Amino acid sequence: MNTKVLRSLSYGLYVISSLDGDRPTGCIANSVMQITSSPATVALSMNHDNYTNSCIAKSGRFAVSILSEKSDPSLIGHFGFQSGRDVDKFASVKSAVKEGLSVIEDSCGYIVCKVVDKMESSTHTVFLGEIVDAGTIGEDPAMTYAYYHKVIKGKSPKNAPTYLPEEDNVEIPDKKWTCGVCGYVYDGDAPFAELPDTYTCPICRQPKEKFIEK
Ligand code: FE
């Protein structure tokens, strides 16, 4: 079985938000798809280990903010590479409240859902969400998962539904400066060592010291 073919499936990049009691929280997902048009319904796959999973299960609601190619890539690190258990993720991000849920302003738009059903797999929950509100923000094209990998050079965390173990073993011909937190590989023109000490990872905003040569 050649699982590399699974990379030919298409996905987007989304901030999934929900409520932890009264506090908004969220994470990154790439597996969201429309299931029916009437009633308008989407499915979302989320790892059991994501704190947002338990918040969706408890509150029965989630929102999808659709990231655009122009969205700040640090949103992906902010929501995707740290846990809502430890961090108040919405405290430092511009957001709007729609039907009681926080959505990202720096995005293409949003979808707010109430959970109408769910299915458990061994590692992920598939939530079925009936859309209760939706809207567009701006005109920028949506960021696809392929764009995230090829243009932004981001990696998949291990709990992404589409994670392939081979991503850890991709052969890199020369050693490159790689973010030890999110896996971003620096490919700028300037030698990495000559970058200012204030340089931070464009994906997860970790400081220069977190980069390792590998
Ligand atoms: Fe990083």
Side-chain angles (χ1 to χ4, degrees):
M1 182 165 72
N2 184 355
T3 56
K4 278 187 182 166
V5 72
L6 297 174
R7 289 181 183 164
S8 301
L9 292 169
S10 301
Y11 302 92
L13 218 56
Y14 313 105
V15 174
I16 307 299
S17 50
S18 190
L19 285 167
D20 175 17
D22 293 331
R23 185 185 72 122
T25 191
C27 65
I28 295 287
N30 68 314
S31 297
V32 175
M33 62 187 289
Q34 185 172 0
I35 302 297
T36 60
S37 61
S38 182
T41 307
V42 297
L44 154 71
S45 176
M46 182 166 295
N47 193 286
H48 293 156
D49 293 339
N50 279 44
Y51 188 56
T52 306
N53 186 320
S54 61
C55 295
I56 295 172
K58 277 183 203 151
S59 68
R61 289 187 294 160
F62 66 89
V64 180
S65 295
I66 303 164
L67 295 184
S68 83
E69 290 182 0
K70 299 285 168 57
S71 294
D72 186 340
S74 74
L75 284 168
I76 300 163
H78 184 73
F79 281 94
F81 289 89
Q82 55 184 349
S83 175
R85 287 183 190 91
D86 316 317
V87 179
D88 188 358
K89 296 184 186 179
F90 276 94
S92 57
V93 170
K94 277 190 182 173
S95 61
V97 176
K98 303 290 180 184
E99 295 292 320
L101 293 184
S102 294
V103 299
I104 305 294
E105 288 191 2
D106 184 9
S107 69
C108 294
Y110 63 89
I111 300 167
V112 184
C113 297
K114 65 172 181 183
V115 176
V116 291
D117 208 345
K118 65 174 184 168
M119 185 187 83
E120 298 294 346
S121 74
S122 57
T123 57
H124 287 69
T125 306
V126 179
F127 291 102
L128 205 59
E130 194 175 305
I131 298 174
V132 296
D133 190 19
T136 55
I137 302 170
E139 302 284 321
D140 294 322
M143 186 189 298
T144 64
Y145 209 45
Y147 183 94
Y148 170 63
H149 283 293
K150 286 181 185 154
V151 181
I152 297 182
K153 304 201 185 303
K155 295 286 174 65
S156 306
K158 282 200 167 67
N159 60 4
T162 50
Y163 172 74
L164 291 174
E166 301 94 283
E167 279 198 33
D168 281 345
N169 301 316
V170 173
E171 277 193 32
I172 299 172
D174 298 312
K175 281 188 173 181
K176 301 235 172 156
W177 287 97
T178 304
C179 176
V181 175
C182 75
Y184 170 80
V185 178
Y186 173 76
D187 69 343
D189 295 331
F192 187 80
E194 290 177 14
L195 290 176
D197 291 338
T198 51
Y199 175 82
T200 57
C201 174
I203 303 288
C204 70
R205 293 286 187 247
Q206 292 294 316
K208 192 176 174 183
E209 303 89 74
K210 296 282 185 184
F211 276 74
I212 45 179
E213 203 172 14
K214 71 172 188 178

